[in-house]
Amino acid sequence: MPKDFIRDIITQDIENGVYDRPITTRFPPEPNGFLHIGHAKSIVLNFGVAQEFGGVCHLRFDDTNPETEDMVYVESIMRDVRWLGYDWGEHLYFASDYYEQLYQFAEELIRRGLAYVDSLSEEEIRAYRGTVTQPGRESPYRHRSVEENLNLFRRMRAGEFPDGAHVLRAKIDMASPNMLLRDPILYRIKHARHYRTGDQWCIYPMYDFAHPLSDGIERITHSLCTLEFENNRAIYDWLVDHLIPPPQPRQYEFARLELDYTVLSKRYLRQLVEEGHVRGWDDPRMPTLSGLRRRGVTPEAIRAFVERVGVAKTNSRVELALFEHTIRDDLNTRAPRVMAVLNPLKVIITNYPEGQTELIEASYWPRDIPKEGTRPVPFSREIYIERDDFALEPPKGYKRLAPGRSVRLRHAYVITCDEVIQDPATGEVVALHCSYLPDSLGTRPEGVKVWSAIHWVDAQASIPAEVRLYDRLFRTPDPYDVEEGGSFLDNLNPDSLKIVTTARVEPSVLRDPPDTRYQFERLGYFIQDSEDSRPDALVFNRIITLRDRWAQKTRPQPAPTTRPRSRPQPPPQEPVIPEKESLSEARARARAQNPNLQAAYQTLQERLGLTPQQADIITGNIDQVRFFHQAVTTYPQGGQALANWFINRLLALLKERPITDLPFDGAAFARLVKQVEEGIIHQRQGQQVLEIMVRTGQDPEAIIAAQGMRKVSDEDALRAVVEQTLAAHPEKVAAYRQGKTGLLGFFMGQVMGATQGQADPQVAKRLLEEALLGK
RNA sequence: UGGGGGAUAGUUUAAUCGGCAGAACGGGUGACUCUGGAUCACUUAGUCGGGGUUCGAAUCCCUGUCCCCCAGCCA
């Protein structure tokens, strides 16, 4: 299983013993639509990590909006998750089963003064919320008494108010820069019938309230969701920290899956179905799990695909080629080979006895698939081959049948094209007269050039079938990339479905279970359509084509369209460019307001020779100036070094904290720098000491002594280590001498390791280079 | 614009403490072949830009740029 940042976090949590229970995750769909391949990523992640870490994964329906949800979705979702190969055991839950508990949580918040009933209208609430740049204003109802809130909330539940009359809101911060924290709505009144609880409730919890608390109720440990919920984590934590006993669940966000040539938003998928652009939610062109299932894609392929994509935090759009590769890879070892001809061209084998039929035992599997099994394939005087497999005038590189040329009929004889029968009116080729080599069954004929092997079916014994050829639903990698005012429907691929009614398949398929996936040799992978295929009227779906290097070579790529992109345009630039204050500008402003800072800024440059940039960073605030001043007083010769250490090392360890948090002063800092400058220890050791100082506040001298740190610059001693290192890695030495100079870092690492980090890196590097180049 | 995230080959994704930028898909070339499939070999190509620290930077510091998310009583 690939590693990713989520698995790293879980591994650490386990190591640190954070949780008192097994790792518990959940897959939490809202039952208002069908699952698609994007959900598969979430399912595989949630169930996958639970399995790997010996935990459990719950299936929970987040059904808090009665208006859109339905039992049919619940059932289809359960079916799809099971089909993907996952089992939630007894852990099937519904947020709607928690309504009473959630209600009690809400009352508790009210009693603790953390929630209130707001009676503003929807429009007013929107107006009071402010904008992303302007803080919101408090509702006049924000300071109602606990009693009044409780009374109102209970009456909301009792159904005394119409929709929209009141809402329950958390009392957080109307001025928060995070919009979601501006007193988020917890409950709304909806006199709507819920598919599970019926008319029992007329107030329903919002996602932001129900989700974290449901996680809490189920004792989830890791709540994994997609990136767009990053801002919601603040409410998640607020609720869970107030209402759920520790150790609480924590939310982590990963990037949702996006796929080339595909839309995955519920809204657009619904539009495709409702406007009839596809034949339904399970149309084999749809990215829904039901569509992929009907198409013939296996759950194993889907799992393998999403695992290959990986889990990270970068928004990404995966190439369809990867999905297609995974599907082929899966089917290659799984699908028996049979023959079918899509576009038949009759071939009469003139020297084959009329009325005779023989049965050829043909293997279901090619040499490289370690499986056994054969079926009889009838062969007689009249057969069909693929029209594409014959060319009157073969282009350069063409390896198939042509006048005078010979090819192998797969599993059967070698034939030679003697005569082409054409329609005198149109010139269309209507049949071929060929002769066969009776001795060529299973052996390579001598003295004949056999150009290739082609597939065929017997004219009499083969069975007619309808074949549906599917292609990508959209013609552009990003279907949302549309002309101004256009719609994603403009990018629909008009050729996403081609129905072939002329196809003929070999008769053996009638003996197989109807859900058998085949490779039709040289054509692709196929499966009978689960809805429309009948034994007396076969219908096949093409799951995926074979990789076709010939087609790739002959069809010169239609020059990549360099049509100018018309993504959602950023709003027309305002004439006034609002100045965003950067950190450097903030520092400049601080200096302008504080003459002491300004003076320090000047002094550092004039007395110590610091660059304006160095001085700028150090004089960011008065505490830093004080600290640095103390350091310079302690070690007056160390100006430049002190500045570098301060900026590059100390600030890095400080992160966002103020410098006054440090458990040591500028003098101790300066003494450390001095140790390095005077060669007692080297740079890297100095960094280690500084880290310990930040952690413990100990004196640098004490740390150096305790760690037994020193710098080894003795050339003879180091030369011995260098020799040993090179001797231990002869192949790396060779590679280095070949020009892979990046390996110097590797050798340095080895030398430093061998000397417990005490080697003087400058000396070591010189010796290393001498030894590597000298020989 | 305020806030929250993100940026590594064409794509997706790795890289313990700062120490060999690795893989898969795609592209290209070739071998093999009773599938122009599969397989195998070789190959192509990368740390967002600019400064700095360091023996050494994808990783640390400064700075700039670009992308995504948030103003539903949806989830």
Side-chain angles (χ1 to χ4, degrees), chain A residues 259-262 305 318-325 471-472:
Chain A
L259 243 193
D260 268 0
Y261 300 98
T262 308
F305 168 63
V318 178
E319 284 181 348
L320 204 54
L322 180 62
F323 189 33
E324 293 179 338
H325 168 84
D471 198 354
R472 45 192 64 161

Side-chain angles (χ1 to χ4, degrees), chain A residues 27 51 384 473 563 637 667 710-711 750:
Chain A
F27 173 61
Q51 274 171 13
Y384 292 117
L473 237 195
R563 185 165 61 83
Q637 307 81 18
R710 64 202 178 93
K711 181 164 77 172
Q750 297 295 311

